[in-house]
Structures are given as structure tokens and as C-alpha cells.
Amino acid sequence: MNTLALQHWEELTWEEIQARISSGNDAAILPIGATEQHGPQLTVGMDSLLGRHLCSSVAKITGVPSLPLLPYGCSLGHSHRWPGTLALSPHTLVSVVTDIADWLYPAGIKKLFIVNSHVTNEAPLRCALEILRAKHDDLCIALFNTGKLTPEIAQDFSADAADWHANAAETSIVLHLDPSATRPGKLASSDDPDRTQGKVFSHPVNRTSLIGVTGTPSKASPDAGKELYQKLQSALVELIRTGLQESPPLDHSYFEQSVQ
């Protein structure tokens, strides 16, 4: 078996993982998704679907193995109005990610690319990054949020709503990746406007949406999803390849004080 062709962590034995790391492949991709309501037209696994497909394809291109996807995220803002959401508290998400990295580091992983496909995971994941880089001196961590990988991608996601959710962009991606995770008969009636414009406070979704959608999924198409997914894949490949070649600008230990 050509183990170099296997790009999912769970497909490898411990000896194969050890051999990879010993040969210099000391990086890993950690996809973080969510399980949350995505309106009447998308299944609750949308964010995880994107993260799983994207990290799997990027792993094959870059040779950096993808860790098992975490399918739960910080989705507290979606409230209990619509069943289906399974949310972690910010503290729990921070703890889970730092625990995972605490096991990766002794195994020899020195570069961790966290790929987040759910918007409100960003703050807890940034906290996890802060904790880990202060704990492990030579562990480099990058946090990539799929909806903001490039300015063009950010514009594509927010084209129909600034506070987008289950909108044309997300629905298009699912129509491209896995049409069975959509409900075509619901697309025409699933539009809901962005009600957050001009608001001072950050309101939960139960106070901003009637059906759990913000945007116009009726405008979604498989072709638009294919184009956007290709942009996501190309951008993430470039970022990871750049990261693989990157070294810290200065070689100063986190734990040693400057000597004057």
C-alpha cells in the first residue's frame, strides 16, 4: 500500500504516522465544522460537509494529512427556535482544540492548520491558538476561516447578506458538493432578508430571521457552487503551501527573557 497516497489521519497506522513525521511531514490540517440549523432547504451538517470536502481535497493536493473533522462548533446564536442545532460552549471548543493539539505536539506535529467552516467558531478558535502558542514554543498554528480566505471569497459569501447564513453561497456549495443535502422544493420559499443592518447589538438568529436563513438561497445554483468551491480550494492550497515553507521571523524562545 502506498501510504503517501493516504491523506486522512484515521487511515494511517501509528508506524505510518511516525514515518511521515520523521521524514519531515510534520504538519496537519484540522477541519472544524458545526451541526446547526441551515433553514428549510439545507441539512444541519452543511458546515461540516464543506469542511470535510475542502480539507480532504486540499490534503490530497498538498500532501498534508487531514485530521478527523470536528462536527460540533460554537452555534449558540442559533437558539432553540429550530431543532437540529447541537452546539458547544466557547470554553468547550477551546478545550477540545487545545487537547487535540496537546496530543499532536508530542507526536512531532510542528505546524497545525485549523480550517474553520462555521463563522462563530472563529473567536474560540483564536483563543485556542493563543493558548497553544504560549504553551508549545515551536508549534506554529494558522487559523483559516473559509468565508474569508480571500477578499473575493468574502465578497462572494456576503453578496446577498452581510450577516449571511444558509444563503445563496452556502446553498450553491451544497448543490455542487452533495445535492442530496438540499431540499430543492424549498429553495424558492427560503429567502429571508438581512435584518442586522444598522444594528448596534449582536442579536441571536431567533431575533433576526423568520426561518433560520439570512440571504437569498433561491438564487443558488450548482455552477455557482462549483466556481466558489474551486476558489476556496485554490486559496487554501496556496495558504498551506506558503505555510509549509514559512519559518518564524526571529528565533527567540517564548520562555527566555531578553538579556541586555
Side-chain angles (χ1 to χ4, degrees):
M1 178 184 296
N2 180 12
T3 59
L4 292 176
L6 299 177
Q7 299 303 338
H8 296 100
W9 190 268
E10 64 269 29
E11 295 175 338
L12 299 164
T13 70
W14 72 262
E15 290 181 321
E16 292 162 354
I17 291 172
Q18 186 178 69
R20 281 178 170 227
I21 294 171
S22 298
S23 67
N25 191 345
D26 59 353
I29 301 169
L30 176 58
I32 312 285
T35 300
E36 60 177 33
Q37 72 81 21
H38 264 75
Q41 86 285 5
L42 294 179
T43 58
V44 299
M46 186 276 151
D47 291 326
S48 294
L49 174 72
L50 171 57
R52 184 180 297 108
H53 277 268
L54 182 60
C55 291
S56 179
S57 62
V58 169
K60 292 175 182 176
I61 296 170
T62 62
V64 179
S66 178
L67 298 162
L69 176 135
L70 182 62
Y72 304 109
C74 185
S75 302
L76 303 180
H78 285 281
S79 77
H80 295 283
R81 183 173 176 83
W82 306 279
T85 298
L86 303 173
L88 302 180
S89 72
H91 296 89
T92 301
L93 183 56
V94 170
S95 294
V96 169
V97 172
T98 54
D99 281 354
I100 290 170
D102 283 343
W103 281 89
L104 291 170
Y105 182 76
I109 294 298
K110 297 299 178 66
K111 292 187 175 183
L112 180 60
F113 302 101
I114 300 174
V115 179
N116 170 41
S117 52
H118 169 54
V119 171
T120 54
N121 285 343
E122 182 176 1
L125 292 177
R126 178 66 199 192
C127 290
L129 182 153
E130 293 286 342
I131 292 168
L132 288 166
R133 70 179 183 179
K135 180 188 288 188
H136 303 300
D137 201 12
D138 55 346
L139 175 62
C140 294
I141 309 167
L143 172 57
F144 302 133
N145 299 289
T146 54
K148 300 190 293 186
L149 288 177
T150 68
E152 182 182 3
I153 287 171
Q155 185 174 2
D156 288 344
F157 269 95
S158 61
D160 58 346
D163 190 40
W164 53 268
H165 179 70
N167 64 337
E170 289 200 313
T171 304
S172 293
I173 287 172
V174 178
L175 284 169
H176 166 59
L177 292 177
D178 186 3
S180 68
T182 66
R183 303 295 181 261
K186 298 285 187 176
L187 289 177
S189 59
S190 293
D191 293 354
D192 208 4
D194 188 348
R195 297 179 175 86
T196 66
Q197 300 275 341
K199 297 295 184 289
V200 172
F201 296 104
S202 179
H203 299 281
V205 184
N206 56 293
R207 295 187 182 275
T208 63
S209 177
L210 295 174
I211 54 175
V213 173
T214 303
T216 54
S218 65
K219 297 180 180 179
S221 72
D223 288 342
K226 180 179 180 180
E227 181 179 355
L228 180 52
Y229 180 78
Q230 288 175 339
K231 290 179 184 178
L232 289 166
Q233 179 178 280
S234 297
L236 187 56
V237 166
E238 182 176 352
L239 286 166
I240 288 179
R241 283 178 170 168
T242 299
L244 291 174
Q245 302 302 317
E246 182 177 303
S247 298
L250 297 172
D251 188 23
H252 295 160
S253 171
Y254 182 89
F255 303 103
E256 293 180 1
Q257 293 187 355
S258 175
V259 177
Q260 300 298 329

